[in-house]
Structure formats: structure tokens, C-alpha cells
Amino acid sequence: MASRRTTTLAGTLAALLLGTSALLVPPAAAHGRGGPGAPGHTLDAERFARQVTTRGVWRHLEELQRVADRNGGNRAALTEGYEASAQYVERTLRRAGYTTTRDPFTFGFEVVDAASLTLDTGESYEVDQMRFSPSSPEGGVTAPGSVPADPLGCTAEAWAGVEAAGTIAVVSRGVCPFADKAVAAEAAGAVGVVVYNNVEELLNGTLGAEGVVQVPVAGAGLADGLALVEAVAAGAVLTLDVRIHTEEAESFNVIAETRAGRDDNVVMLGAHLDSVEDGAGINDNGSGSAVLLEVAVKLAQQKKLNNTVRFAWWGAEELGLIGSTAYVEELAAQEGELDRIATYLNFDMVGSPNYVIGVYDADESTYPAPVAVPPGSAETEAVFTDWFDATGQPWVDTQFSGRSDYQAFILNGVPASGLFTGADGSKTEAEVALFGGTPGIRYDPNYHTPADDLSNVSREAIGIMAPAVAYATARLATDTSAINGVSGPGDQGHHHGPWKPGKGKGKGHGAPHATLQEAS
């Protein structure tokens, strides 16, 4: 899942500029459909689900691990590891009979020039400049520290009685947005702000928009934050140096689609292919990428489908959902192209070691969505929950928040859903009762760390999720009428215009289920 920024890596752009080709797989290209009145082609979804196995997915995960091992330990955007990951996906798809397309995009790439917090006593701490924070002057801001009376520092009242003018404020994560903490500290007179995490990892945060404050704001880890609080109490002087600049960069998505299926009713599935810089990213998101790849390979053996199925391996997700957003914006600029997408399915982290079986809560039966939910999304969710209920597999809702590559789709009115096994939330006793595992620790303790490798991916979770993805793919390749009222093969090359969502049926809750918050 997405983090915010990466640092400069040597030799990154050269490989990306080689072999990039045309923009999008054209949805309107004729695939040689039957004419009017041609019978529908029913793909046995349950049988197809059995064809997508853990063993098949695992072979792809092993290769992605080898790619990382050969390329500095990661597969991050703008690196040789990402290029090699894409080449593996492309090679595998071509062997299966697909024509692959690289969809290039350019974007402003933030390069870190400085990220340090030092004390006059010699100690130093790792920090990360928050997104939309101003940079410090070269050499940083040097000042005494201050801590609010209420460590969370959310309001002016938290600073009552504290001498904060001309200091670097040190506040704890929690309760309110980072922007509120920064605004309150600046109003109290702080010349810099450090927000420390409430878990043991570096805090990568955002202020949400430009111009929120005029002072530099950075995130720190929990242990460092607590050490800073003690140092401030002892009278230490802090130097906060966080600076970035922006360069233009280019990356790409990998796109492929089935030869069979009507062109005006496309079922689209996606997973981000890039990792963070800190590790191989075999769960985040080699797992979603590998499941998607195995489903595509098996689906290529089907010569007749009612609907085209399009697959996307997104680039630069970890830098801010950049690849998927660029793709959707490109489609939106072409009249009618988004209307051809019946629904979008997203798979981001489906092999967490302390897993739950999570389905995006598109019908808002558990969580009110913080975004508008396009009509047809609840019916898309029901395809997954129908499968889990029919197989007796417990599942939980995860908030339909748009915090992965389905964001751009739903913002443009395309129905969506997806699967998720958990990231940095902690597993509850109720979830242990449903899925096993360990209560009180994170679903993926290795999330965004060097330990996110093949040894820490759950075979059991993959074994549950891979058939679910396959089932949903086959079912929607046959019929999307519950989502958009379209069923059966269409006229060859004929476009039926914008779809109108059908009523469909709500999700079934036959199997035990609980709730799960989607990770940020």
C-alpha cells in the first residue's frame, strides 16, 4: 500500500526509457465477436477458481523475490528492480498468449535533500518530511524543544501554559489530523514541528494540502519520539533539517487484456507492482501482482468469454497512486472510454502473515465510506462475499476508503471492490476466532520494512484469496448484469453507450464475519 516519498536512487531512469510503447490497450479494438443474437458463453466460475492454485501463485512470488535480491533488495518505482519485475510479468503474459502494453506516465518526483534531527548533545534521529510541509532552510532550524501539556497537541488548549515561542514542538500522533497538530503548534509560536508515531516505525505523514503552515513538519518513530520528549525536558537544543526538491520522472503501468469478450463491457482488475525502497515488497504488493498474474495466465486458456477482461499492474503506487491515477485520467479524456469499464477489482496485500480475509465494504454495511461509492460497487462486493459464503469462508468488511489504486476509478464513477488481508492495524480477539493468528499484533508486522519478503507471506492466505479472485474474474467475465445491466455477448465492435447500474442483489452474510479498517 502506498507510502509517500522515496529518495534518490542511482541509475533509475535509463532502464525505464527503453522499450516503452504506446499508451493504452484500446478498449474499442474489435476482437472478432459473434454477431447479433450470438449465444452467451458461460465460464464455470467454480471450476475456474480451482485452477488458480497457491503453487502457481508462489512461483511468481519466488521470481519477484529473486528480482529484488538481484536489484538492491527492492522493486521500487524508478529502479532496475521495478523494470525487472515488469519484464517478468510481460514475459509470462506473452507466453500465455497476451499482447502486453506499457502505459507510460510522467510525474513530479520528490527527492530528499535532507532528513535529520540532531541534538546539541550529539544524538541524531531519523525523520521524514511530511507531505506538503515547507522545507527548512539549508542547515535546518535550530531551537530548544517544547512539548504540549496534552502530548497530542491537537488544539490551542493543549499548549496553554507552555512556552512554545521559538521552539521545535514535539507532539504525539493520535486523535486528530497531523495538520491540526502543526497548526496548533505554529499558533503557539513553534518554528518547527516533529510528530512521533504511536507504533514502532517511522511516521510518513501528510498535511493534506499546500500552505497549511509555514514551518517545517516532520514525522518520527515512537522510540525516537519518546527519547526526544526526555531530551526536551533536559533542556536539549534541536536542529531539524528537512528539505526536498522535485524532479520530473517517468514510469509505466503494464496492461494486458483477453482476446475474447465484448469490447463495450470490460471487467478490469489491478494490483500495484512496485514495492517501497525498504524491501522486496513480496506481500505489498507482490502478493496481489502474483495472484493477478496467475489468474491472467489461466484465463488465457479460455477461448470464449462474454466480456473482455483487462489486467493492470500499476506503477508508482507507493509514491501516491500515481500510475493508476494517470491511467484513469487518460481514459477520462477520451469520450466514452470509462463507460466501457463495467467494474474495477483491486488487490493490494493478499498474503499478510497475521491475516484476515477482508472485502472492501462497498455497501457500507459496517463502515460509512469517506468517499462517494459509485453505483454497482455493492454488487461487485457481493461477487466476493457470495464466494466466501458459499465455501464457508469467514470474511470481514474493510472500509471502502479509496486508499489504494481503486481511488481514481471510484472518483470517476466506476464501480469497484477488492480484497485485503491487512497491513498495520492490529488483530483483534474476534478476528483470531475467525481466522486464527495472534491477537494484539499487526496483520503484517513487516509492512513497509525489509522483512516483507517471501518467508513472511502466508501460503494459507494466498490459498484463500487466489481462488476468490479467480471466481470473481470468471463470474464477471460471463455476466455483469447485476452491476450494470449488461449480459451476454454484444454485437461485434458495437458500443452500447454509458451503462446504468442495475439493482443487483446485496451481499450475503451467511459465513461468520467481523470488521476491519483498511490500512493507510
Side-chain angles (χ1 to χ4, degrees):
M1 302 198 100
S3 62
R4 183 180 57 79
R5 183 185 300 120
T6 186
T7 55
T8 303
L9 293 171
T12 56
L13 296 180
L16 299 177
L17 298 176
L18 300 176
T20 55
S21 60
L23 293 178
L24 307 174
V25 172
H31 288 184
R33 312 292 184 265
H41 305 298
T42 302
L43 172 59
D44 187 329
E46 293 183 8
R47 181 178 180 182
F48 183 70
R50 293 193 293 271
Q51 296 175 15
V52 178
T53 64
T54 304
R55 182 179 180 182
V57 173
W58 211 260
R59 286 196 295 266
H60 304 314
L61 290 175
E62 288 173 334
E63 183 58 33
L64 292 177
Q65 180 68 63
R66 282 192 285 269
V67 164
D69 292 342
R70 295 166 182 162
N71 291 281
N74 71 73
R75 303 179 302 100
L78 308 179
T79 70
E80 294 179 358
Y82 182 75
E83 171 67 27
S85 297
Q87 288 181 8
Y88 173 71
V89 170
E90 291 166 331
R91 184 168 62 249
T92 304
L93 291 170
R94 288 168 185 159
R95 286 173 178 169
Y98 290 93
T99 298
T100 63
T101 300
R102 288 195 176 188
D103 170 38
F105 53 88
T106 59
F107 61 101
F109 175 61
E110 291 185 341
V111 178
V112 176
D113 298 312
S116 66
L117 179 65
T118 57
L119 306 186
D120 57 347
T121 52
E123 292 91 342
S124 63
Y125 302 95
E126 184 180 12
V127 293
D128 183 80
Q129 185 174 349
M130 286 201 180
R131 192 175 186 189
F132 303 118
S133 163
S135 289
S136 63
E138 187 171 353
V141 175
T142 300
S146 62
V147 176
D150 174 356
L152 296 170
C154 290
T155 63
E157 288 73 21
W159 290 97
V162 177
E163 181 52 58
T167 68
I168 295 173
V170 180
V171 300
S172 173
R173 180 181 188 175
V175 177
C176 65
F178 302 133
D180 290 358
K181 299 175 187 291
V183 167
E186 184 181 41
V191 296
V193 183
V194 177
V195 182
Y196 60 90
N197 215 338
N198 49 15
V199 294
E200 288 296 343
E201 65 180 34
L202 182 65
L203 176 58
N204 303 117
T206 177
L207 299 179
E210 298 282 359
V212 172
V213 292
Q214 303 302 311
V215 300
V217 183
L222 175 59
D224 285 352
L226 295 176
L228 280 171
V229 169
E230 292 185 5
V232 168
V237 175
L238 289 58
T239 298
L240 176 63
D241 192 3
V242 285
R243 289 174 282 123
I244 61 170
H245 73 274
T246 301
E247 297 178 359
E248 186 175 271
E250 180 178 291
S251 190
F252 59 91
N253 307 310
V254 176
I255 311 290
E257 66 178 31
T258 56
R259 297 180 183 276
R262 61 188 293 169
D263 297 310
D264 63 337
N265 200 51
V266 178
V267 176
M268 190 159 187
L269 296 79
H272 76 85
L273 185 57
D274 61 315
S275 73
V276 295
E277 289 182 17
D278 285 342
I282 302 302
N283 185 35
D284 183 17
N285 183 40
S287 61
S289 294
V291 168
L292 203 63
L293 186 56
E294 186 64 9
V295 169
V297 167
K298 296 301 183 184
L299 193 66
Q301 300 170 12
Q302 304 296 321
K303 303 306 180 185
K304 295 181 179 180
L305 299 172
N306 284 347
N307 302 314
T308 294
V309 179
R310 187 180 305 158
F311 300 92
W313 286 265
W314 304 119
E317 188 269 356
E318 296 290 4
L319 302 181
L321 314 179
I322 293 171
S324 56
T325 300
Y327 179 85
V328 173
E329 288 178 350
E330 199 166 7
L331 281 188
Q334 304 174 45
E335 184 176 357
E337 291 306 313
L338 279 179
D339 295 329
R340 299 177 189 274
I341 300 179
T343 190
Y344 172 73
L345 311 180
N346 194 69
F347 308 105
D348 190 352
M349 301 182 68
V350 293
S352 304
N354 199 31
Y355 72 86
V356 293
I357 302 303
V359 185
Y360 296 174
D361 187 16
D363 68 359
E364 302 180 89
S365 60
T366 301
Y367 300 110
V371 294
V373 180
S377 298
E379 290 73 23
T380 304
E381 177 194 6
V383 176
F384 292 116
T385 58
D386 285 351
W387 167 257
F388 291 136
D389 291 345
T391 57
Q393 172 61 53
W395 53 274
V396 297
D397 281 313
T398 178
Q399 188 180 51
F400 193 89
S401 66
R403 294 162 104 179
S404 188
D405 284 304
Y406 64 109
Q407 181 185 88
F409 288 91
I410 63 176
L411 291 178
N412 284 274
V414 177
S417 190
L419 300 178
F420 176 53
T421 52
D424 57 354
S426 294
K427 199 166 195 177
T428 66
E429 293 282 1
E431 290 165 346
V432 171
L434 292 175
F435 308 109
T438 306
I441 69 169
R442 296 192 299 177
Y443 305 111
D444 187 351
N446 315 298
Y447 174 58
H448 284 188
T449 74
D452 184 7
D453 58 22
L454 189 63
S455 69
N456 287 314
V457 174
S458 169
R459 281 182 175 268
E460 186 174 5
I462 295 291
I464 295 169
M465 289 304 209
V469 176
Y471 171 82
T473 304
R475 184 166 150 183
L476 293 171
T478 300
D479 184 11
T480 62
S481 58
I483 296 168
N484 63 355
V486 177
S487 63
D491 300 343
Q492 183 172 354
H494 181 65
H495 178 47
H496 290 260
W499 49 262
K500 295 182 179 180
K503 291 183 180 179
K505 63 177 181 177
K507 72 180 180 185
H509 282 204
H513 73 284
T515 62
L516 172 66
Q517 292 282 359
E518 186 181 13
S520 58

